[in-house]
Amino acid sequence: MKTILITGGAGFIGSHVVRRFVKNYPQYKIVNLDKLTYAGNLANLKDIEKEPNYEFIRADIVAGELIKKIFQKYRFDGVIHLAAESHVDRSIANPTEFIYTNIIGTVNLLNAAREIWEHTEGKLFYHISTDEVYGSLGSSGLFTETTSYDPQSPYSASKASSDHLVRAYHNTYKMPVVISNCSNNYGSFQFPEKLIPLSINNIRNNKLIPVYGKGENIRDWLYVEDHAEAIDKIFHSGKIGDTYNIGGNNELKNIDLLKVLCRIMDQKLRRTAGTSEHLITFVKDRAGHDLRYAIDSSKLQKELKWKPSVVFEQGLEKTVEWYLANEEWMKNVTSGEYLKYYDSQYNKR
Ligand code: NAD
Ligand code: DAU
């Protein structure tokens, strides 16, 4: 039986990856290590928490000595590293936490794996990263695996730094690694600081939908379960030392995405068509706001036979249905600290 460590498994993408691996691979023991920051929530894993091949450890990846002890005890065969500070706006307000978790935390995991992996046969350190490391595109072009790094926010600079360190450990110590860089995910269990769940929650409560700048910025949207499937394929069949870009082939201007979302929300809430769109409000732009991200994922499609399967409007409708059916979840994550965060971000815009 292989023991696989998944870090950040109580977060948005991590919880989907943990669920997929626990259900599909009974021959693996899945250990989910998470600090449970504001973004981590064990309620995201309620349906699988009693499975015999699942275990949860609450720990901070910044605590290097503790991480080493955990690796000594469990002798992990594989690591899928998702734990991170993930929100760009928070990185603008407070970059330091991003440096600790995203850079030092990643190095601690690499060091702990290096210490226990004397023989690297059958071992893998899989680092989950973002398309934001490539910087911002103009109106044309796509990010490929060979696009030069040009991160623009403290968040993307911290992720770029961790990517470089993972590659450096492969080059220097022959650490068996693989990296993937993905575009914007959407789906269930996403913390409502991100555009789609924040807007769903605001529309539900008749609050304004804050659109940064003119809403002209473009993102490529991928359904989170498609991302989890890509991670599964890369973990099992990716080439050691390689990088894979993951994208949804689904570029949208923020304002156009929000208009689609408003239409779906009006239908689901049985409101007169056009009601939700009135909530759209243009606010002060994000500092250093990247204009456009777009991914060329043809390497992954060709080599590992993966492609995005969920059509955006259908995925968005499923996502809306999930949030409306899980109002308790939303209430829990938006109480307390969240309100302070929301005021600090949006009252001054
Ligand atoms: P998230 O913020 O929802 O979850 C992050 C998880 O990491 C949380 O459970 C949190 O408790 C945990 N964590 C944070 N700091 C920790 C620490 N010091 N020690 C242990 N655990 C800690 O993030 P997400 O959106 O699910 O993103 C997961 C990963 O995927 C990140 O590495 C992110 O950079 C990357 N990514 C995200 C997207 C996206 O659209 N959300 C796209 C591409 C890549
Ligand atoms: O591209 C991958 C990245 O996608 C991941 O690495 C990040 O972890 C993830 O947070 C996401 O980053 P973005 O900054 O693109 O996501 P966010 O949901 O914060 O914003 C999406 C777009 O919407 C962006 O152009 C900013 C804009 N926006 C966001 C919020 C929260 C608004 O206009 N209003 C808002 O209130």
Side-chain angles (χ1 to χ4, degrees):
M1 194 176 196
K2 282 193 165 189
T3 305
I4 311 296
L5 172 69
I6 299 182
T7 70
F12 165 48
I13 302 171
S15 63
H16 286 275
V17 175
V18 166
R19 179 173 298 100
R20 185 183 175 96
F21 273 69
V22 166
K23 284 189 172 167
N24 292 0
Y25 300 104
Q27 71 275 30
Y28 294 164
K29 177 176 179 147
I30 302 300
V31 177
N32 169 18
L33 183 150
D34 198 296
K35 181 182 175 183
L36 300 183
T37 66
Y38 76 93
N41 186 354
L42 290 180
N44 298 358
L45 292 162
K46 267 252 152 306
D47 57 325
I48 56 101
E49 68 185 4
K50 297 215 163 62
E51 294 298 329
N53 64 336
Y54 172 71
E55 186 175 333
F56 174 68
I57 300 174
R58 185 171 191 178
D60 184 345
I61 57 170
V62 178
E65 287 310 308
L66 173 65
I67 294 299
K68 277 189 182 171
K69 281 191 189 130
I70 293 170
F71 272 69
Q72 293 287 355
K73 177 173 172 202
Y74 286 84
R75 317 291 306 176
F76 301 115
D77 299 288
V79 177
I80 305 179
H81 174 37
L82 294 114
E85 287 292 337
S86 69
H87 192 42
V88 174
D89 292 321
R90 286 185 194 254
S91 83
I92 294 167
N94 177 20
T96 310
E97 206 57 44
F98 287 69
I99 307 309
Y100 284 124
T101 288
N102 298 359
I103 306 176
I104 310 283
T106 301
V107 170
N108 285 341
L109 292 166
L110 287 164
N111 285 339
R114 202 181 140 221
E115 219 173 73
I116 63 160
W117 290 348
E118 278 157 31
H119 306 287
T120 52
E121 184 73 28
K123 307 286 191 274
L124 183 66
F125 189 102
Y126 179 5
H127 178 62
I128 307 295
S129 192
T130 171
D131 60 357
E132 300 198 10
V133 297
Y134 299 122
S136 182
L137 289 164
S139 56
S140 63
L142 300 169
F143 297 133
T144 71
E145 286 81 0
T146 55
T147 301
S148 302
Y149 274 34
D150 187 20
Q152 300 292 316
S153 72
Y155 163 70
S156 54
S158 70
K159 291 295 290 187
S161 174
S162 62
D163 292 10
H164 288 321
L165 284 157
V166 171
R167 287 194 187 98
Y169 273 59
H170 175 64
N171 182 59
T172 310
Y173 308 114
K174 308 297 166 227
M175 169 82 75
V177 307
V178 70
I179 299 178
S180 60
N181 297 80
C182 187
S183 61
N184 287 58
N185 285 217
Y186 69 100
S188 55
F189 299 111
Q190 187 170 31
F191 193 79
E193 62 191 351
K194 308 278 162 57
L195 180 67
I196 290 180
L198 182 137
S199 303
I200 293 173
N201 190 38
N202 282 15
I203 295 169
R204 174 79 188 88
N205 295 303
N206 282 309
K207 281 171 70 175
L208 301 178
I209 308 167
V211 183
Y212 299 166
K214 296 190 175 127
E216 300 280 320
N217 303 69
I218 294 174
R219 297 291 181 266
D220 166 45
W221 294 92
L222 177 68
Y223 194 59
V224 64
E225 288 175 25
D226 278 337
H227 188 191
E229 190 201 13
I231 289 174
D232 187 340
K233 289 212 157 163
I234 293 167
F235 181 74
H236 288 105
S237 313
K239 193 163 157 254
I240 302 250
D242 265 23
T243 295
Y244 296 88
N245 278 356
I246 312 173
N249 289 337
N250 183 51
E251 285 184 55
L252 280 168
K253 282 186 183 166
N254 293 336
I255 188 67
D256 294 336
L257 181 156
L258 289 172
K259 285 181 182 166
V260 178
L261 180 65
C262 286
R263 181 162 45 73
I264 296 173
M265 290 295 286
D266 282 345
Q267 282 162 8
K268 300 287 169 195
L269 295 170
R270 296 178 198 288
R271 291 179 178 168
T272 314
T275 309
S276 301
E277 228 182 278
H278 285 302
L279 296 169
I280 289 179
T281 309
F282 295 96
V283 299
K284 190 170 159 220
D285 208 353
R286 175 183 277 174
H289 197 171
D290 287 342
L291 177 66
R292 174 173 168 258
Y293 308 140
I295 282 270
D296 175 352
S297 63
S298 54
K299 174 177 174 183
L300 178 60
Q301 304 208 17
K302 227 188 295 156
E303 291 184 13
L304 302 187
K305 311 283 174 252
W306 171 89
K307 64 175 184 334
S309 70
V310 177
V311 176
F312 180 69
E313 281 215 27
Q314 286 167 13
L316 192 59
E317 193 174 335
K318 266 171 61 174
T319 303
V320 166
E321 283 166 0
W322 185 86
Y323 282 99
L324 295 182
N326 287 277
E327 292 207 331
E328 242 352 86
W329 182 94
M330 184 60 98
K331 244 187 234 152
N332 287 338
V333 301
T334 53
S335 57
E337 277 300 307
Y338 179 83
L339 298 173
K340 268 195 238 154
Y341 164 77
Y342 193 90
D343 287 348
S344 73
Q345 280 296 317
Y346 294 100
N347 286 352
K348 59 175 187 267
R349 280 184 192 267

